[in-house]
Amino acid sequence: MTLKIHPIRLGELTMDASGLVLFRTPGVKTRIPFLGFLITGGEAPVLVDTGPRDVDIFDAFGMQGVRTPEMTLDHHLAVHGLTRSDIRYIVHTHAHIDHAGGDDLFPMTTTVALARRELEFSASGVMGSGMYTAADTKHLIDRLHTRGALRLFDVDGTYEEEVIPGVAVRLSGGHTPGSISVLVETDEGIANIAGDIAYHIDDQLVAPILDHNFHEPTITANRAMSSLEEKRAIKRALSDSRFLLIGHDDPALISGGRVIGRYAGAISNPEADVTRAANYGLLAQSLSVAA
C-alpha cells in the first residue's frame, strides 16, 4: 500500500496580510489558496476538506474570492479518474466556511467525518456567524440524522482514530477546539494534514516575524484558542511529522522539528505528489539555523 497525497486548489482569496499572521504588514493585500487534499492509493479515496460553498460570500468581509473551472472539486477528481461518488470519506480538519462548504455536493453515501467537539463548536456561536455558516452547519446536522452519512471523532489528544488503514486522525486544537490533524503513513514518513494551525510557513515557522526565541512559531491572527494552545499545536505537528500540509500555503518538509524545505509548485499542479522529499527545495536559512 503506497499512499499519496495531492493538494487540490479549490479557490483563492485576496485579503489583508495581517488577517493571516498577527501584525504582518497591515494594509497590504495578499492572495491565498483554499486547499483540500486528496489521498489515493489506499483502501478507498479520502478527501480532506471541501473548500468554500460560494466564494462570493467573502465579499461581506471585504475580501475577494475567485474560483475558476479548474478550481472545482469535479475538475480535480477527474484529473485522478474519480467522481464524487468514488469518495468514501471526507475528513474535515475543522468546519470553517472555507473548509466544509462543498459537503452537500456529495451523496449521503459518502461519509463526512469530523471531531464531535468541532460540530458542537460550529453551532455554539462563539466565533459568530462568519466562520461557520448556517448552510454548512445545517447540512452537517442533516448528515447527523442520516444513517452512515456522518462520523464523529472523539479524539482528545491521548489516542488516534483510524479512517482507513494508513490514515488516522488526532486532536490538534490550536485553531479551533475541534481541529484535527489527518496523519497519513507514506513511504517517507508521516504526512500531517493540519488544517489552519498555521497560515504562512515562512513568516510563522521559517523566519517568525514576531518571535526571536529558537523554535518559537509566530501565531496567526484568526483562532478560537489561546496563543499558547496554538503554539503547542504547531510544535506538536512539527515534532513527529515528515511533511506538514496546511490549508493555505505550500507544503513543508520537516526534520528535527524544523522546516527544512518547501514544495513550491505543489498547489498549482493537480497531479503533484507531496509525499516524496525529493520534490522539496531545501531552505538554506533553515538549515543554517538548525545546524
Side-chain angles (χ1 to χ4, degrees):
M1 177 181 63
T2 300
L3 293 172
K4 295 184 178 181
I5 306 172
H6 311 279
I8 56 176
R9 188 190 296 253
L10 298 172
E12 295 178 344
L13 185 69
T14 299
M15 60 178 292
D16 195 281
S18 65
L20 296 175
V21 183
L22 194 63
F23 302 127
R24 175 181 176 237
T25 57
V28 175
K29 297 294 185 180
T30 188
R31 175 172 285 195
I32 61 171
F34 299 121
L35 297 179
F37 296 90
L38 179 65
I39 304 170
T40 62
E43 180 180 273
V46 176
L47 178 62
V48 180
D49 292 337
T50 57
R53 178 179 294 261
D54 183 353
V55 294
D56 292 339
I57 199 168
F58 296 100
D59 292 347
F61 302 97
M63 307 175 187
Q64 295 75 50
V66 173
R67 178 187 282 143
T68 67
E70 293 74 30
M71 296 176 184
T72 61
L73 282 163
D74 285 340
H75 171 80
H76 286 291
L77 293 176
V79 167
H80 297 278
L82 301 171
T83 66
R84 299 178 210 168
S85 60
D86 294 318
I87 301 299
R88 179 64 189 91
Y89 287 102
I90 294 170
V91 181
H92 284 309
T93 58
H94 61 298
H96 274 174
I97 182 176
D98 53 333
H99 291 259
D103 290 5
D104 65 347
L105 298 175
F106 290 82
M108 290 296 191
T109 50
T110 297
T111 300
V112 172
L114 74 165
R116 188 188 308 272
R117 187 180 299 183
E118 183 68 8
L119 181 61
E120 294 171 344
F121 190 69
S122 69
S124 71
V126 171
M127 295 192 79
S129 58
M131 291 294 98
Y132 300 98
T133 69
D136 295 346
T137 304
K138 288 176 181 177
H139 178 74
L140 291 173
I141 298 302
D142 286 341
R143 285 184 172 272
L144 178 68
H145 294 280
T146 303
R147 184 175 297 276
L150 191 71
R151 177 179 176 181
L152 297 173
F153 301 119
D154 286 313
V155 285
D156 60 3
T158 63
Y159 69 100
E160 300 167 2
E161 290 191 46
E162 183 179 86
V163 181
I164 62 171
V167 179
V169 302
R170 75 177 180 205
L171 184 70
S172 61
H175 187 56
T176 66
S179 286
I180 58 174
S181 283
V182 183
L183 307 176
V184 183
E185 298 176 11
T186 79
D187 290 344
E188 298 195 37
I190 294 294
N192 187 330
I193 305 175
D196 289 356
I197 63 168
Y199 281 126
H200 195 279
I201 297 290
D202 287 345
D203 285 351
Q204 290 188 257
L205 305 181
V206 176
I209 63 172
L210 292 180
D211 293 285
H212 302 291
N213 294 331
F214 190 59
H215 277 239
E216 192 72 15
T218 291
I219 58 177
T220 70
N222 177 33
R223 64 192 189 281
M225 311 297 286
S226 72
S227 298
L228 180 56
E229 287 169 322
E230 184 177 76
K231 286 176 181 284
R232 284 173 176 163
I234 294 171
K235 289 179 177 181
R236 183 174 188 188
L238 293 173
S239 71
D240 61 358
S241 305
R242 181 58 170 163
F243 307 98
L244 179 64
L245 315 177
I246 59 174
H248 303 283
D249 200 1
D250 291 317
L253 182 67
I254 310 299
S255 179
R258 300 280 296 177
V259 176
I260 64 166
R262 305 293 302 282
Y263 190 168
I267 59 178
S268 299
N269 179 3
E271 299 185 71
D273 174 12
V274 302
T275 62
R276 294 185 67 248
N279 291 331
Y280 290 74
L282 295 183
L283 302 177
Q285 177 182 7
S286 183
L287 287 172
S288 64
V289 171

